[in-house]
Amino acid sequence: MRILLIEDDTVLGAAVRDQIAADGQSVDWVTRLDAAGDALSVASYDLILLDLMLPDGRGIGFLRGLRARGDVTPVIILTALDQVSDRIEGLNAGADDYLVKPFDLAELSARIGSVARRYSGNPNPIVVHGPLEIDLAARSVRRDGKAVQLTAREWALFEALLARPGQLLSKAQLEEKLYAFDAEVESNTIEVHVSRLRKKLGSAVIETERGLGYRLGRP
């Protein structure tokens, strides 16, 4: 999953960025609304984390603009504004969730997962795929009842395929899900992760369309 973080507090922004990266997700962090607009014009995001008080304007206006243009990207507001009226304004403007600062980073990860599952059309955190039982909330996999340990990047790639069963994802699309703008990505990184996932979860778990991309294998 690729996430756009819009937050001008450098300490909090760094902590949130590191938390998302530790979860194996890709994050682009900007501190201004104009930079956020530039990022959205060149990349596709699965979720936006939005502060409300930014140097060049209010996040509420930015959110309303997104929704007015028909942009349905999930948005979680992160703000110190804790009045009920602020929450109502944010949700009515089109936010999917509202988290008041200071917050626990583990709770943020849980809320990101919850919103992502709702948008995927399956709010149930437990997914069964052939011999695999996947707990999306706990970010864990069991194969034939036995726990399988995945790295953060392996999990992120598997989750991206799992969210789009039957859909072919190109190598470039998967790299975009896993890595931020400034990340250095080796040419065979996706192939390496796919190979490791097949060894851990079964050779048929990921199908390859040579020269086109990858899709989740049939159960």
Side-chain angles (χ1 to χ4, degrees), residues 83-106:
Q83 298 298 309
V84 172
S85 58
D86 296 319
R87 296 171 188 257
I88 291 173
E89 182 181 30
L91 295 170
N92 284 343
D96 298 272
D97 204 347
Y98 192 107
L99 194 55
V100 176
K101 304 174 184 176
F103 50 80
D104 187 273
L105 291 172

PDB file of all heavy atoms in Angstrom, residues 83-106:
ATOM      1  N   GLN A  83     -12.226  19.022  19.375  1.00  0.00           N
ATOM      2  CA  GLN A  83     -13.619  19.304  19.685  1.00  0.00           C
ATOM      3  C   GLN A  83     -14.552  18.424  18.834  1.00  0.00           C
ATOM      4  O   GLN A  83     -14.194  18.048  17.711  1.00  0.00           O
ATOM      5  CB  GLN A  83     -13.934  20.784  19.435  1.00  0.00           C
ATOM      6  CG  GLN A  83     -13.134  21.738  20.301  1.00  0.00           C
ATOM      7  CD  GLN A  83     -13.416  21.539  21.778  1.00  0.00           C
ATOM      8  OE1 GLN A  83     -14.570  21.525  22.201  1.00  0.00           O
ATOM      9  NE2 GLN A  83     -12.364  21.370  22.571  1.00  0.00           N
ATOM     10  N   VAL A  84     -15.717  18.129  19.388  1.00  0.00           N
ATOM     11  CA  VAL A  84     -16.686  17.331  18.638  1.00  0.00           C
ATOM     12  C   VAL A  84     -17.030  18.015  17.316  1.00  0.00           C
ATOM     13  O   VAL A  84     -17.162  17.361  16.277  1.00  0.00           O
ATOM     14  CB  VAL A  84     -17.962  17.099  19.479  1.00  0.00           C
ATOM     15  CG1 VAL A  84     -19.046  16.446  18.628  1.00  0.00           C
ATOM     16  CG2 VAL A  84     -17.652  16.229  20.684  1.00  0.00           C
ATOM     17  N   SER A  85     -17.154  19.349  17.350  1.00  0.00           N
ATOM     18  CA  SER A  85     -17.473  20.087  16.124  1.00  0.00           C
ATOM     19  C   SER A  85     -16.391  19.914  15.064  1.00  0.00           C
ATOM     20  O   SER A  85     -16.685  19.863  13.858  1.00  0.00           O
ATOM     21  CB  SER A  85     -17.661  21.574  16.435  1.00  0.00           C
ATOM     22  OG  SER A  85     -16.490  22.117  17.031  1.00  0.00           O
ATOM     23  N   ASP A  86     -15.128  19.816  15.489  1.00  0.00           N
ATOM     24  CA  ASP A  86     -14.031  19.597  14.547  1.00  0.00           C
ATOM     25  C   ASP A  86     -14.144  18.218  13.911  1.00  0.00           C
ATOM     26  O   ASP A  86     -13.926  18.054  12.701  1.00  0.00           O
ATOM     27  CB  ASP A  86     -12.680  19.716  15.268  1.00  0.00           C
ATOM     28  CG  ASP A  86     -12.424  21.108  15.814  1.00  0.00           C
ATOM     29  OD1 ASP A  86     -12.743  22.082  15.115  1.00  0.00           O
ATOM     30  OD2 ASP A  86     -11.917  21.214  16.947  1.00  0.00           O
ATOM     31  N   ARG A  87     -14.457  17.225  14.741  1.00  0.00           N
ATOM     32  CA  ARG A  87     -14.615  15.865  14.217  1.00  0.00           C
ATOM     33  C   ARG A  87     -15.755  15.796  13.203  1.00  0.00           C
ATOM     34  O   ARG A  87     -15.637  15.172  12.143  1.00  0.00           O
ATOM     35  CB  ARG A  87     -14.887  14.891  15.359  1.00  0.00           C
ATOM     36  CG  ARG A  87     -13.744  14.748  16.358  1.00  0.00           C
ATOM     37  CD  ARG A  87     -14.218  13.935  17.556  1.00  0.00           C
ATOM     38  NE  ARG A  87     -13.241  13.910  18.622  1.00  0.00           N
ATOM     39  CZ  ARG A  87     -12.440  12.884  18.908  1.00  0.00           C
ATOM     40  NH1 ARG A  87     -12.512  11.789  18.182  1.00  0.00           N
ATOM     41  NH2 ARG A  87     -11.582  12.950  19.890  1.00  0.00           N
ATOM     42  N   ILE A  88     -16.867  16.420  13.541  1.00  0.00           N
ATOM     43  CA  ILE A  88     -18.026  16.414  12.650  1.00  0.00           C
ATOM     44  C   ILE A  88     -17.678  17.092  11.323  1.00  0.00           C
ATOM     45  O   ILE A  88     -18.007  16.587  10.244  1.00  0.00           O
ATOM     46  CB  ILE A  88     -19.224  17.117  13.318  1.00  0.00           C
ATOM     47  CG1 ILE A  88     -19.736  16.271  14.485  1.00  0.00           C
ATOM     48  CG2 ILE A  88     -20.342  17.369  12.308  1.00  0.00           C
ATOM     49  CD1 ILE A  88     -20.804  16.954  15.320  1.00  0.00           C
ATOM     50  N   GLU A  89     -16.974  18.228  11.403  1.00  0.00           N
ATOM     51  CA  GLU A  89     -16.589  18.940  10.185  1.00  0.00           C
ATOM     52  C   GLU A  89     -15.691  18.069   9.308  1.00  0.00           C
ATOM     53  O   GLU A  89     -15.874  17.992   8.090  1.00  0.00           O
ATOM     54  CB  GLU A  89     -15.866  20.237  10.533  1.00  0.00           C
ATOM     55  CG  GLU A  89     -15.489  21.059   9.297  1.00  0.00           C
ATOM     56  CD  GLU A  89     -14.737  22.336   9.632  1.00  0.00           C
ATOM     57  OE1 GLU A  89     -14.022  22.356  10.652  1.00  0.00           O
ATOM     58  OE2 GLU A  89     -14.875  23.308   8.856  1.00  0.00           O
ATOM     59  N   GLY A  90     -14.731  17.393   9.936  1.00  0.00           N
ATOM     60  CA  GLY A  90     -13.819  16.552   9.180  1.00  0.00           C
ATOM     61  C   GLY A  90     -14.519  15.383   8.503  1.00  0.00           C
ATOM     62  O   GLY A  90     -14.290  15.098   7.327  1.00  0.00           O
ATOM     63  N   LEU A  91     -15.389  14.702   9.242  1.00  0.00           N
ATOM     64  CA  LEU A  91     -16.111  13.563   8.682  1.00  0.00           C
ATOM     65  C   LEU A  91     -17.092  14.001   7.604  1.00  0.00           C
ATOM     66  O   LEU A  91     -17.243  13.332   6.572  1.00  0.00           O
ATOM     67  CB  LEU A  91     -16.821  12.801   9.802  1.00  0.00           C
ATOM     68  CG  LEU A  91     -15.896  12.133  10.826  1.00  0.00           C
ATOM     69  CD1 LEU A  91     -16.693  11.611  12.006  1.00  0.00           C
ATOM     70  CD2 LEU A  91     -15.098  11.003  10.174  1.00  0.00           C
ATOM     71  N   ASN A  92     -17.743  15.132   7.819  1.00  0.00           N
ATOM     72  CA  ASN A  92     -18.679  15.636   6.816  1.00  0.00           C
ATOM     73  C   ASN A  92     -17.975  16.118   5.555  1.00  0.00           C
ATOM     74  O   ASN A  92     -18.574  16.148   4.474  1.00  0.00           O
ATOM     75  CB  ASN A  92     -19.521  16.771   7.392  1.00  0.00           C
ATOM     76  CG  ASN A  92     -20.609  16.276   8.335  1.00  0.00           C
ATOM     77  OD1 ASN A  92     -20.943  15.087   8.330  1.00  0.00           O
ATOM     78  ND2 ASN A  92     -21.162  17.168   9.142  1.00  0.00           N
ATOM     79  N   ALA A  93     -16.714  16.481   5.690  1.00  0.00           N
ATOM     80  CA  ALA A  93     -15.943  16.927   4.520  1.00  0.00           C
ATOM     81  C   ALA A  93     -15.484  15.752   3.668  1.00  0.00           C
ATOM     82  O   ALA A  93     -15.018  15.947   2.544  1.00  0.00           O
ATOM     83  CB  ALA A  93     -14.736  17.747   4.966  1.00  0.00           C
ATOM     84  N   GLY A  94     -15.618  14.527   4.223  1.00  0.00           N
ATOM     85  CA  GLY A  94     -15.273  13.350   3.430  1.00  0.00           C
ATOM     86  C   GLY A  94     -14.184  12.482   4.005  1.00  0.00           C
ATOM     87  O   GLY A  94     -13.720  11.549   3.344  1.00  0.00           O
ATOM     88  N   ALA A  95     -13.759  12.757   5.261  1.00  0.00           N
ATOM     89  CA  ALA A  95     -12.747  11.911   5.887  1.00  0.00           C
ATOM     90  C   ALA A  95     -13.343  10.554   6.248  1.00  0.00           C
ATOM     91  O   ALA A  95     -14.533  10.441   6.540  1.00  0.00           O
ATOM     92  CB  ALA A  95     -12.194  12.578   7.138  1.00  0.00           C
ATOM     93  N   ASP A  96     -12.501   9.528   6.241  1.00  0.00           N
ATOM     94  CA  ASP A  96     -12.932   8.177   6.596  1.00  0.00           C
ATOM     95  C   ASP A  96     -12.678   7.857   8.059  1.00  0.00           C
ATOM     96  O   ASP A  96     -13.286   6.946   8.613  1.00  0.00           O
ATOM     97  CB  ASP A  96     -12.196   7.155   5.720  1.00  0.00           C
ATOM     98  CG  ASP A  96     -12.521   7.348   4.250  1.00  0.00           C
ATOM     99  OD1 ASP A  96     -13.511   6.773   3.790  1.00  0.00           O
ATOM    100  OD2 ASP A  96     -11.791   8.091   3.575  1.00  0.00           O
ATOM    101  N   ASP A  97     -11.779   8.600   8.671  1.00  0.00           N
ATOM    102  CA  ASP A  97     -11.464   8.405  10.084  1.00  0.00           C
ATOM    103  C   ASP A  97     -10.825   9.687  10.595  1.00  0.00           C
ATOM    104  O   ASP A  97     -10.373  10.540   9.807  1.00  0.00           O
ATOM    105  CB  ASP A  97     -10.528   7.214  10.283  1.00  0.00           C
ATOM    106  CG  ASP A  97     -10.624   6.608  11.683  1.00  0.00           C
ATOM    107  OD1 ASP A  97     -11.228   7.254  12.572  1.00  0.00           O
ATOM    108  OD2 ASP A  97     -10.096   5.509  11.888  1.00  0.00           O
ATOM    109  N   TYR A  98     -10.775   9.829  11.925  1.00  0.00           N
ATOM    110  CA  TYR A  98     -10.305  11.069  12.549  1.00  0.00           C
ATOM    111  C   TYR A  98      -9.546  10.686  13.809  1.00  0.00           C
ATOM    112  O   TYR A  98     -10.105  10.105  14.726  1.00  0.00           O
ATOM    113  CB  TYR A  98     -11.520  11.938  12.890  1.00  0.00           C
ATOM    114  CG  TYR A  98     -11.238  13.374  13.275  1.00  0.00           C
ATOM    115  CD1 TYR A  98     -11.530  14.409  12.390  1.00  0.00           C
ATOM    116  CD2 TYR A  98     -10.719  13.707  14.520  1.00  0.00           C
ATOM    117  CE1 TYR A  98     -11.314  15.734  12.731  1.00  0.00           C
ATOM    118  CE2 TYR A  98     -10.495  15.031  14.874  1.00  0.00           C
ATOM    119  CZ  TYR A  98     -10.791  16.040  13.977  1.00  0.00           C
ATOM    120  OH  TYR A  98     -10.568  17.362  14.321  1.00  0.00           O
ATOM    121  N   LEU A  99      -8.255  10.982  13.835  1.00  0.00           N
ATOM    122  CA  LEU A  99      -7.399  10.584  14.953  1.00  0.00           C
ATOM    123  C   LEU A  99      -6.794  11.832  15.585  1.00  0.00           C
ATOM    124  O   LEU A  99      -6.156  12.639  14.895  1.00  0.00           O
ATOM    125  CB  LEU A  99      -6.301   9.648  14.450  1.00  0.00           C
ATOM    126  CG  LEU A  99      -5.491   8.857  15.469  1.00  0.00           C
ATOM    127  CD1 LEU A  99      -6.401   8.038  16.391  1.00  0.00           C
ATOM    128  CD2 LEU A  99      -4.524   7.924  14.747  1.00  0.00           C
ATOM    129  N   VAL A 100      -7.004  11.985  16.895  1.00  0.00           N
ATOM    130  CA  VAL A 100      -6.559  13.183  17.605  1.00  0.00           C
ATOM    131  C   VAL A 100      -5.153  12.982  18.167  1.00  0.00           C
ATOM    132  O   VAL A 100      -4.844  11.959  18.768  1.00  0.00           O
ATOM    133  CB  VAL A 100      -7.547  13.529  18.743  1.00  0.00           C
ATOM    134  CG1 VAL A 100      -7.029  14.726  19.559  1.00  0.00           C
ATOM    135  CG2 VAL A 100      -8.923  13.851  18.173  1.00  0.00           C
ATOM    136  N   LYS A 101      -4.294  13.977  17.965  1.00  0.00           N
ATOM    137  CA  LYS A 101      -2.941  13.974  18.512  1.00  0.00           C
ATOM    138  C   LYS A 101      -2.994  14.318  20.009  1.00  0.00           C
ATOM    139  O   LYS A 101      -3.815  15.143  20.409  1.00  0.00           O
ATOM    140  CB  LYS A 101      -2.068  15.006  17.802  1.00  0.00           C
ATOM    141  CG  LYS A 101      -1.986  14.847  16.298  1.00  0.00           C
ATOM    142  CD  LYS A 101      -1.211  16.030  15.697  1.00  0.00           C
ATOM    143  CE  LYS A 101      -1.194  15.975  14.191  1.00  0.00           C
ATOM    144  NZ  LYS A 101      -0.524  17.157  13.588  1.00  0.00           N
ATOM    145  N   PRO A 102      -2.103  13.756  20.801  1.00  0.00           N
ATOM    146  CA  PRO A 102      -1.136  12.700  20.460  1.00  0.00           C
ATOM    147  C   PRO A 102      -1.839  11.344  20.381  1.00  0.00           C
ATOM    148  O   PRO A 102      -2.815  11.100  21.075  1.00  0.00           O
ATOM    149  CB  PRO A 102      -0.150  12.741  21.627  1.00  0.00           C
ATOM    150  CG  PRO A 102      -0.976  13.207  22.788  1.00  0.00           C
ATOM    151  CD  PRO A 102      -1.982  14.174  22.217  1.00  0.00           C
ATOM    152  N   PHE A 103      -1.342  10.483  19.532  1.00  0.00           N
ATOM    153  CA  PHE A 103      -1.948   9.162  19.369  1.00  0.00           C
ATOM    154  C   PHE A 103      -0.860   8.104  19.400  1.00  0.00           C
ATOM    155  O   PHE A 103       0.328   8.386  19.206  1.00  0.00           O
ATOM    156  CB  PHE A 103      -2.741   9.064  18.062  1.00  0.00           C
ATOM    157  CG  PHE A 103      -1.983   9.534  16.845  1.00  0.00           C
ATOM    158  CD1 PHE A 103      -1.047   8.719  16.227  1.00  0.00           C
ATOM    159  CD2 PHE A 103      -2.204  10.800  16.321  1.00  0.00           C
ATOM    160  CE1 PHE A 103      -0.343   9.144  15.115  1.00  0.00           C
ATOM    161  CE2 PHE A 103      -1.496  11.247  15.209  1.00  0.00           C
ATOM    162  CZ  PHE A 103      -0.565  10.412  14.602  1.00  0.00           C
ATOM    163  N   ASP A 104      -1.278   6.870  19.660  1.00  0.00           N
ATOM    164  CA  ASP A 104      -0.353   5.745  19.668  1.00  0.00           C
ATOM    165  C   ASP A 104      -0.114   5.289  18.232  1.00  0.00           C
ATOM    166  O   ASP A 104      -1.060   5.129  17.453  1.00  0.00           O
ATOM    167  CB  ASP A 104      -0.945   4.604  20.505  1.00  0.00           C
ATOM    168  CG  ASP A 104       0.039   3.464  20.690  1.00  0.00           C
ATOM    169  OD1 ASP A 104       0.074   2.572  19.817  1.00  0.00           O
ATOM    170  OD2 ASP A 104       0.763   3.471  21.694  1.00  0.00           O
ATOM    171  N   LEU A 105       1.137   5.072  17.883  1.00  0.00           N
ATOM    172  CA  LEU A 105       1.464   4.692  16.508  1.00  0.00           C
ATOM    173  C   LEU A 105       0.878   3.335  16.128  1.00  0.00           C
ATOM    174  O   LEU A 105       0.511   3.110  14.976  1.00  0.00           O
ATOM    175  CB  LEU A 105       2.974   4.692  16.314  1.00  0.00           C
ATOM    176  CG  LEU A 105       3.639   6.076  16.360  1.00  0.00           C
ATOM    177  CD1 LEU A 105       5.145   5.948  16.361  1.00  0.00           C
ATOM    178  CD2 LEU A 105       3.177   6.941  15.187  1.00  0.00           C
ATOM    179  N   ALA A 106       0.778   2.436  17.102  1.00  0.00           N
ATOM    180  CA  ALA A 106       0.175   1.129  16.821  1.00  0.00           C
ATOM    181  C   ALA A 106      -1.307   1.290  16.495  1.00  0.00           C
ATOM    182  O   ALA A 106      -1.854   0.576  15.642  1.00  0.00           O
ATOM    183  CB  ALA A 106       0.360   0.194  18.011  1.00  0.00           C
TER     184      ALA A 106
END
